[in-house]
Amino acid sequence: MKNIKVLGSGCKNCETTANLIQIAAKQAGTEIELEKITDIAVIMGYGVMSTPGVVIDGQVVHAGGLPGPDKIRQWVSE
């Protein structure tokens, strides 16, 4: 099971990113644990300066703007 964190203030892009990850994981048949992190101190602890940020199994894989669908599918299928 992958642990995926979406880092952000809860803005529209952050919510959309979380929803797209859930949809892609379901389509791929991949079990994920999805967390939404809104605490600025925690987000800064990952070194993310622009949101949404995405952390998979402790590694930052994206920061700033909506990730593309191909990138999201790659994350959940790896």
Side-chain angles (χ1 to χ4, degrees):
M1 178 182 306
K2 291 180 182 279
N3 178 278
I4 302 176
K5 294 177 174 61
V6 176
L7 313 177
S9 63
C11 67
K12 184 168 176 61
N13 282 348
C14 299
E15 292 297 323
T16 300
T17 298
N19 290 336
L20 291 173
I21 290 170
Q22 286 179 321
I23 291 167
K26 186 174 183 178
Q27 289 174 343
T30 303
E31 287 190 43
I32 63 168
E33 178 184 353
L34 183 66
E35 296 178 63
K36 296 177 188 173
I37 307 295
T38 57
D39 185 319
I40 294 298
V42 175
I43 294 169
M44 297 293 275
Y46 282 103
V48 172
M49 301 302 277
S50 59
T51 60
V54 179
V55 177
I56 299 178
D57 295 331
Q59 180 178 353
V60 176
V61 296
H62 179 80
L66 285 172
D70 290 338
K71 185 175 272 194
I72 294 172
R73 280 191 291 273
Q74 179 183 359
W75 294 337
V76 299
S77 66
E78 289 180 339

